[in-house]
Amino acid sequence: MSTSQHFEHSFHALGSEYVTPTAATPVSAPKWLAWNNRLAEQLGWPEAWGHNEQTLITLAGNGQFEGSQPGSAAYAGHQFGNYNPQLGDGRAILLGEWRRPDGQLFDIQLKGAGPTPYSRGGDGRSPVGPVVREYLMSEAMHSLGVPTTRALAAVATGDPVYRQQLEPGAILTRVAKSHIRIGTVQFFAMTRQGKGLKELVSYVTQRHYGAALQKAQALNPQATHAQVLLNEVTRALANLVAHWQSLGFIHGVLNTDNMLLCGETVDYGPCAFMDTFAAGQVFSSIDTGGRYAFGNQPGIVHWNLSVLAQCLLPLIDEDQEKAVAVAQKSVDQFPTLFTDIYSARLAAKFGLDAMRDSDHALIESFFSQLEEDKLDFTLAFRWLTEVANGNMDATILESLFTPSSGLLNWQTQWSNRRLQATSASCEHMKTANPVVIPRNHWVAQAIGMAEAGDNELMETLQSRWQDPFNWHAGDEQFAAAPKREEQVHRTFCGT
Ligand code: AMP
Ligand code: MG
């Protein structure tokens, strides 16, 4: 292997307060569940570490890649609004950082590879179900264009894990721009009362927002890392949640420890895409109060950013009043940033040249109609797309979606509005409104089969969801909304 192909350990190098050396615990009988060759190629991953027996053993925790330095990271976080001072990688082990040929650095992490110093009595393991869910969902999200962690591999361990019942165990190989969270900043700011915070903030700002830092410091030599970080994370998370809202994605556990500072979606636990539209939709079995309901996500992300801001105050300015003013200004940008990005996404979805004031009422009434008539979110938007592009007959959409009379009435107003739009906006609709999304009932079925040792559906779905904006043969099944008896109403954390 050439010297350019090796792990780096920049986060680990900050010290053992950040990453504690932790070895994976060997398992009985590793078996492949999935290997993501496309991602391996994109990463410039070595051939020798590809889909072979030695890699399988290594990704199961029974071996080690040359040059890896396994470790687990400390963090804290607000869980459902309450501060937990000590969380951390309880079932995740960072093998090292991998530099893609274009220079971008990625964490390579095993999730479910055994206990760590942060396991807090947990077994450090994961059942097959949540591993398959995260693999499928994160890869589908990537193909939909949403910033997200990714899945390089999934392996079954051959060992059972004990949850409500005995379940087969598995390990996911996760790839992220980094796994540093709002909760990581909280750990150093709150649990450790500021010790080590400055080093963390400098590190993460340089790793993710180096260009913004240079620009800010060129304009104002006094600009702090903390100030730049807060500004950039506000921007990145506004972008992320706007994207989720535009696709009907519900994360399910938007605790501050599940929000990455790099702006990628992380931790596919009880997440789900909506089938029929409902603003108050909740799937997670543990979200009894609906804190993380679909319509609440932007507000929750804003709240999480205010937690980050609070932690960064001592680094923004020694003068507390000045620090508060600067941080407040930064976080106060969120509603406008979110609204602007979300409006642009909606304009693309509705085939509008731009969002005008009068369009808000039109859009509101569309969503009310979907909710009232219990219409499928994804198919309704694709119906608009095929209508606008005059492409209905070339697709099977009419066999999958029947507009209600209310929606047909609404269509008249929309068509009138669109008479004032340019034709280019039709084209945009095709890449703003997917044909397929990773629907819950398919994920559930793939999990059931993988638990029984059959990966075929997992492979089929993964391959279909790689191209979500175009019609394919077989979409009678994959684009269709679930039948009543197929609908999934509850999702579980699977920890
Ligand atoms: P999550 O709900 O997956 O975001 O996890 C919340 C916290 O619980 C994190 O600190 C995890 O590392 C930890 N955790 C979750 N499942 C396990 C497990 N099976 N063993 C040890 N720690 C776990
Ligand atoms: Mg988590």
Side-chain angles (χ1 to χ4, degrees):
M1 212 173 63
S2 81
T3 47
S4 63
Q5 290 182 321
H6 60 80
F7 280 116
E8 299 179 30
H9 304 284
S10 63
F11 192 41
H12 210 142
L14 284 189
S16 59
E17 316 87 277
Y18 303 90
V19 180
T20 314
T22 309
T25 307
V27 301
S28 302
K31 242 180 103 182
W32 285 109
L33 284 168
W35 169 253
N36 190 343
N37 210 45
R38 263 162 73 126
L39 177 56
E41 282 173 12
Q42 288 162 6
L43 289 170
W45 193 251
E47 282 276 330
W49 296 354
H51 191 233
N52 62 47
E53 192 62 22
Q54 190 53 44
T55 303
L56 168 66
I57 286 168
T58 306
L59 298 180
N62 292 10
Q64 220 171 302
F65 287 128
E66 191 192 326
S68 77
Q69 263 179 40
S72 49
Y75 56 85
H78 274 87
Q79 298 180 303
F80 289 90
N82 302 309
Y83 188 58
N84 188 330
Q86 177 78 64
L87 290 163
D89 285 337
R91 55 165 171 170
I93 293 178
L94 177 65
L95 299 183
E97 296 139 12
W98 184 258
R99 199 171 289 281
R100 201 167 62 178
D102 68 355
Q104 173 75 56
L105 201 61
F106 290 91
D107 280 5
I108 309 294
Q109 190 195 61
L110 300 183
K111 186 172 174 184
T116 78
Y118 304 102
S119 295
R120 299 175 299 143
D123 60 3
R125 293 295 183 190
S126 180
V128 163
V131 166
V132 170
R133 177 185 302 278
E134 177 154 352
Y135 189 100
L136 287 173
M137 294 295 287
S138 64
E139 284 304 303
M141 287 280 273
H142 171 75
S143 297
L144 285 162
V146 184
T148 178
T149 65
R150 300 196 60 189
L152 180 62
V155 300
T157 62
D159 293 326
V161 292
Y162 299 86
R163 295 295 180 261
Q164 269 91 338
Q165 60 205 29
L166 272 184
E167 295 186 40
I171 300 172
L172 182 81
T173 307
R174 184 158 72 179
V175 180
K177 279 191 180 162
S178 90
H179 288 89
I180 304 173
R181 307 142 193 270
I182 291 182
T184 317
V185 172
Q186 284 182 278
F187 178 76
F188 289 94
M190 297 165 73
T191 306
R192 289 178 59 102
Q193 292 161 336
K195 208 161 152 266
L197 178 65
K198 192 162 189 224
E199 292 77 2
L200 172 72
V201 168
S202 286
Y203 172 81
V204 75
T205 310
Q206 283 168 29
R207 178 161 170 186
H208 296 307
Y209 302 111
L213 180 66
Q214 268 189 351
K215 206 168 144 198
Q217 291 187 332
L219 287 170
N220 169 16
Q222 256 78 58
T224 61
H225 286 70
Q227 201 176 325
V228 172
L229 182 67
L230 185 57
N231 251 319
E232 295 306 312
V233 176
T234 301
R235 218 179 275 281
L237 293 184
N239 181 56
L240 183 67
V241 70
H243 216 148
W244 292 348
Q245 300 308 103
S246 75
L247 292 168
F249 174 76
I250 306 171
H251 180 284
V253 212
L254 286 180
N255 294 337
T256 54
D257 53 303
N258 288 338
M259 302 236 78
L260 295 184
L261 297 177
C262 66
E264 290 180 340
T265 312
V266 74
D267 268 7
Y268 291 84
C271 62
F273 276 78
M274 288 193 289
D275 295 307
T276 55
F277 176 76
Q281 180 80 61
V282 175
F283 286 99
S284 169
S285 60
I286 56 168
D287 191 5
T288 45
R291 179 181 170 91
Y292 300 138
F294 178 70
N296 289 353
Q297 295 188 123
I300 285 292
V301 171
H302 192 195
W303 188 88
N304 289 344
L305 283 164
S306 69
V307 169
L308 176 65
Q310 187 76 34
C311 291
L312 295 176
L313 288 179
L315 299 182
I316 290 177
D317 203 303
E318 281 171 12
D319 178 334
Q320 168 129 22
E321 238 171 79
K322 276 194 198 154
V324 170
V326 169
Q328 190 75 50
K329 194 166 157 228
S330 206
V331 176
D332 282 353
Q333 296 176 89
F334 179 86
T336 310
L337 281 170
F338 168 76
T339 306
D340 288 352
I341 303 168
Y342 184 50
S343 295
R345 291 210 166 272
L346 285 178
K349 287 180 81 72
F350 284 99
L352 304 177
D353 49 340
M355 193 70 88
R356 303 175 191 171
D357 284 345
S358 55
D359 292 333
H360 293 290
L362 182 72
I363 287 172
E364 281 284 301
S365 64
F366 174 80
F367 284 118
S368 307
Q369 202 65 57
L370 293 195
E371 189 146 8
E372 196 175 312
D373 299 335
K374 297 195 167 43
L375 296 175
D376 188 81
F377 179 90
T378 305
L379 290 176
F381 273 109
R382 194 64 196 197
W383 177 74
L384 298 182
T385 308
E386 306 308 352
V387 168
N389 284 279
N391 202 36
M392 196 66 78
D393 292 343
T395 75
I396 55 160
L397 190 87
E398 276 180 324
S399 67
L400 302 177
F401 181 77
T402 310
S404 60
S405 58
L407 188 58
L408 289 169
N409 286 336
W410 178 89
Q411 188 199 342
T412 313
Q413 296 169 50
W414 172 68
S415 299
N416 289 338
R417 162 63 180 88
R418 287 197 71 258
L419 289 175
Q420 305 152 28
T422 60
S423 59
S425 47
C426 290
E427 251 340 274
H428 284 154
M429 295 179 79
K430 293 187 196 164
T431 50
N433 298 315
V435 171
V436 291
I437 48 158
R439 291 189 186 264
N440 302 321
H441 64 295
W442 280 115
V443 175
Q445 214 172 307
I447 288 173
M449 288 175 68
E451 284 171 342
D454 180 350
N455 311 336
E456 199 182 319
L457 182 58
M458 188 181 172
E459 276 169 30
T460 305
L461 293 176
Q462 208 250 326
S463 143
R464 174 61 192 95
W465 292 340
Q466 272 175 4
D467 186 27
F469 296 102
N470 293 304
W471 289 95
H472 285 212
D475 280 345
E476 295 81 1
Q477 307 177 68
F478 298 123
K483 299 186 188 83
R484 184 177 280 275
E485 67 277 13
E486 289 173 332
Q487 280 172 9
V488 174
H489 299 285
R490 278 277 159 270
T491 51
F492 301 89
C493 250
T495 48

